[in-house]
Amino acid sequence: MKKGTRIHAHNLSFCWPQKQEFLFKGWELEVEPGETLCLLGPNGCGKTTLLEIMLGWRKPSSGCIQIGGMNLSELSSRERGQMMALVPQEERLPFEYCALDYVLLGRAPHLTPLQSPGEKDVILAQEALEEVGIGHLAQRPVPRLSGGERRMVLLARALAQNPSIMLLDEPANHLDPGNQERMLVLLKALQDQGVTLVVSTHDPEFAGRISHKLALLKSSESLIVGSPQTLLTCENLESLYGTPVQIIEAYGRQIMVWGEPTPMG
Amino acid sequence: MGKRGAIVLILGVLILITALSLLWGRYPHPGFTSLKTLKNDSMAQIVFWNLRAPRIVTALLLGASLATSGSVFQTVLGNPLVEPGFLGVSQGAAFGAALAILVGLGPWSVPVSAVFFGFAGLLVSWILAKRIRYGGAILRLVLAGIVSSALFSSGLGILKIMADPRSELPEITFWMMGGLTGITWGTLRAMAFPPLLSLVLLLIFRWRVNLMSLDDRSAFALGAAPGRERAFLVALCVVAVATVTAVAGIVSWVGLLIPHISRRLVGADARASLPLSLVLGAIFVLICDDVARGISSGEIPLGLVTSFAGAAVFALLMTQGKDRGAPPSGRRGSRR
């Protein structure tokens, strides 16, 4: 069992350069070790930006991120890479790397700049591919994989990084229902290993099934944080997305029906 | 064929072609010099040791530098269509050479001025790239490279108009077409160190070159410092390319073509494709230079031979062979 790491975003504000209004202002956010936080909010509300700030890729306008009690900006890039991995939605890849070589890049933070990956790293990369269920595609060029397989390769690369925090940008987006379920199962497995997860998503059902904690990115002033049980209500979702919603309970799950109800017949 | 077999094969080809090149030339008569002649004819020995040998070593170094830098450039800038001279280096060097020819400070001033302005071309690109407030790091560098190249090539055009059409203009034109005429051991000693150092460092860091093919944010998430590391790798390439260009003039197509062939043969991973580029580039330029100096009684500019052979091979490469599937797609480039 891996030890997850705690994330604390303290008094976080962000404003795009040369823009007046803040994307967010004075946000306070805590994720306990091993906990899963889902970020929900409409397009353009700053989910990806928040992930990028947590990664250290963007600097907040004010406030700070603490990772396991350390200030993010004080960590070296290698320490940060060993601790935290990002699974982006999609990645530009101009060359035909095979899946194994690509996943092997995940070992980079564990190697010194002069080192090349060794046999042990290759084994770890192959294991990561097996773990996401595409071990048989190890020698296939990544650009020739399907969208779903490419997402799994990105996840495998993050697994090869062996992080205690994983940031995922809409991991289930653009996946077919089968792959969405597989992604969910893989994320649950990471939870069982004690990895801290921060997941942005457009799917409140997905968020409800996986998160311990939910953050609704409603407006720059207000970030609502709480448990999914208390926050996933019709009122909250309607005001978050600006469209009517009905929530139905079935098979022990919440199902959301969006839009104006259309009369049958 | 195993990995070891492939390495032995390619190095064997390199040694064989080098040996044949040493024997190939127009003295005492066109074609291959026999070992018997070499033993008895003292003039042939001088040609062999003092003309052919340094020229062949320079050709190898030139090809290796251009192809390796091309491979690194394409990977690091995430663009399979760039070549190492393109960040203003080639055009800057050409401008510098033309300026030195026009001012007429003697033959040594030409390579020195070429190196100087090659770096000036890079500096212009660099400053511009820092100041462009638009797009990711790679896009900014590419745009700045285009601007810098255009500046220096228009400057070069002005110099050409000012040049004496009977003496200076042909010299400028010939320099721009590239060539290794008149290379001596002295020339080689003076220029060999920077490209050799760059090549060794690039080979050492070659796995990390892969990391830089990712967009900035992904490279950052993998514990790299994309801006700094890209700049370091690009600088190494430019040192190598500016130096060899100063001596040989503009030898085009090598840096574009060889990395493509190399990736085709062994895949994108720079651990294999970078060393292969190095060796293939050396072999390619050596063969082209053999053609340039040995086919006709007059010297053919090396740049013409590499362009012709390069374009022909490139066309074949792109149209023949098995389908490589749909082109790689990509959305969401680097941001920041």
Side-chain angles (χ1 to χ4, degrees), chain A residues 52 57 80 91 96-97 161, chain B residues 210 217-218 220-221 336:
Chain A
E52 287 175 344
W57 172 236
R80 175 176 47 71
E91 196 166 272
E96 298 205 324
Y97 284 95
Q161 229 172 314
Chain B
N210 289 327
R217 190 184 59 181
S218 298
F220 179 85
R336 190 183 220 184

Side-chain angles (χ1 to χ4, degrees), chain A residues 16 18 48-49 52 55-59 77-78 80-82 84-86 88-98 101-102 104-109 111-117 122 141 143-144 150 157 161 169 174, chain B residues 74-80 133 138 204-218 220-226 228 230 263 267-271 323-336:
Chain A
W16 289 105
Q18 278 132 29
T48 303
T49 311
E52 287 175 344
L55 182 69
W57 172 236
R58 283 185 199 288
K59 302 263 170 297
S77 11
R78 265 186 75 201
R80 175 176 47 71
Q82 288 170 9
M84 202 163 27
L86 172 76
Q89 276 192 64
E90 178 120 27
E91 196 166 272
R92 192 184 62 99
L93 187 66
F95 299 104
E96 298 205 324
Y97 284 95
C98 77
D101 288 340
Y102 195 59
L104 205 49
L105 294 175
R107 297 303 300 160
L111 302 168
T112 66
L114 287 172
Q115 261 181 320
S116 278
V122 176
R144 279 194 269 170
R150 283 234 285 273
R157 193 183 65 194
Q161 229 172 314
D169 196 4
H174 299 305
Chain B
Q74 291 176 1
T75 314
V76 163
L77 297 182
N79 187 336
R133 299 248 66 84
I138 291 168
I204 291 174
F205 284 106
R206 66 185 192 275
W207 184 68
R208 252 185 125 71
V209 169
N210 289 327
L211 208 54
M212 292 299 116
S213 74
L214 303 176
D215 59 49
D216 287 358
R217 190 184 59 181
S218 298
F220 179 85
L222 292 169
R228 211 170 52 218
R230 280 211 175 88
R263 279 196 297 267
D269 188 351
R271 279 180 298 170
D323 181 24
R324 303 291 293 183
S329 69
R331 271 181 281 165
R332 190 175 279 263
S334 58
R335 294 201 279 162
R336 190 183 220 184

